[in-house]
Amino acid sequence: MKNKSIYIKKRHDFSYITIMIIAVLVLSFIAAALYDYGAKQEIDSVSEISLSQAVLSKRGSSGSEVTSIQKKLKSWGYYTGSIDGIYGSRTEAAVRYFQQKNGLVVDGIAGKNTLAAMGIQSSSSTSSSTGGYSSSDLNLIARAVYGEARGEPYTGQVAVAAVILNRVRDSRFPKTVAGVVYQAGAFDVVADGQINLTPNDTAYKAVRDAVNGWDPTYGCLYYYNPRTATNKWIRTLPISTTIGSHVFCRAK
């Protein structure tokens, strides 16, 4: 009887150990399966985010393009948050505000048209940041902007630079920056000598934004200050928009 009891006890111990081993193996299998599933979900999530960022910048995006958007909007007073490269609710609200103020579709998404209005080249663009203009061209435009609009809102300074560039591209005007700026009677700063003043950083920044595609005037070729303009002809032109103390006009 004693040997039988020992046998039964050993058999019981063996069964218990076997069950424990099986339980450990089952739990290990379940844990591995859950880990694989979680890893797959994480990979799928990252892939989905990357794909959305490759298309356009919107809420939930992150990266260098978002950083550029935030820097632009902050410098213009649309955005008050931190420059963190994360497209959150505050960035989205700032983009909406910018779109509203600039006649764009208000959707809070920094798509092609919104990026162009901000002067930001999209990640898929390969065009030059200087638009083919020489450093002397950029300097001359900056001097014209500084002389003509240094007391104007930043958008108004970009607008003056955009008018100069619009004239260069228009067949009715000279084909070079120097030709446009120094065209007889075109700009008061040439006549009064302010064209020779040293531009500040804001003027240069406005020129870069204009060269990169931001045109707050949407194609205007003329502008003037209604309070000081004496030219009767320019007052007959259709006004497209008003920015600061200047009105911007298209040709008839």
Side-chain angles (χ1 to χ4, degrees), residues 118-170:
M118 291 180 185
I120 297 175
Q121 299 291 337
S122 65
S123 58
S124 60
S125 175
T126 58
S127 60
S128 170
S129 61
T130 59
Y133 296 99
S134 67
S135 59
S136 60
D137 286 336
L138 301 180
N139 182 61
L140 181 56
I141 300 172
R143 285 193 282 142
V145 169
Y146 184 73
E148 290 277 328
R150 61 181 177 273
E152 295 297 304
Y154 182 74
T155 303
Q157 296 183 51
V158 178
V160 169
V163 166
I164 294 172
L165 296 176
N166 290 341
R167 289 188 180 189
V168 172
R169 292 187 285 262
D170 193 285

Side-chain angles (χ1 to χ4, degrees), residues 235-250:
R235 289 179 177 273
T236 67
L237 297 177
I239 296 174
S240 177
T241 187
T242 299
I243 305 173
S245 61
H246 287 140
V247 294
F248 293 82
C249 313
R250 295 181 181 274

Side-chain angles (χ1 to χ4, degrees), residues 127-248:
S127 60
S128 170
S129 61
T130 59
Y133 296 99
S134 67
S135 59
S136 60
D137 286 336
L138 301 180
N139 182 61
L140 181 56
I141 300 172
R143 285 193 282 142
V145 169
Y146 184 73
E148 290 277 328
R150 61 181 177 273
E152 295 297 304
Y154 182 74
T155 303
Q157 296 183 51
V158 178
V160 169
V163 166
I164 294 172
L165 296 176
N166 290 341
R167 289 188 180 189
V168 172
R169 292 187 285 262
D170 193 285
S171 61
R172 290 165 288 190
F173 294 88
K175 295 298 183 183
T176 64
V177 170
V180 166
V181 172
Y182 288 111
Q183 187 176 24
F187 296 95
D188 290 339
V189 293
V190 174
D192 63 21
Q194 292 191 69
I195 192 68
N196 297 314
L197 297 175
T198 301
N200 58 14
D201 290 341
T202 302
Y204 282 112
K205 186 177 180 181
V207 173
R208 288 194 295 270
D209 280 340
V211 168
N212 284 336
W214 185 22
D215 182 1
T217 77
Y218 294 96
C220 287
L221 296 169
Y222 304 92
Y223 67 91
Y224 64 92
N225 186 332
R227 293 178 297 176
T228 60
T230 58
N231 187 306
K232 293 182 179 179
W233 172 81
I234 202 169
R235 289 179 177 273
T236 67
L237 297 177
I239 296 174
S240 177
T241 187
T242 299
I243 305 173
S245 61
H246 287 140
V247 294
F248 293 82

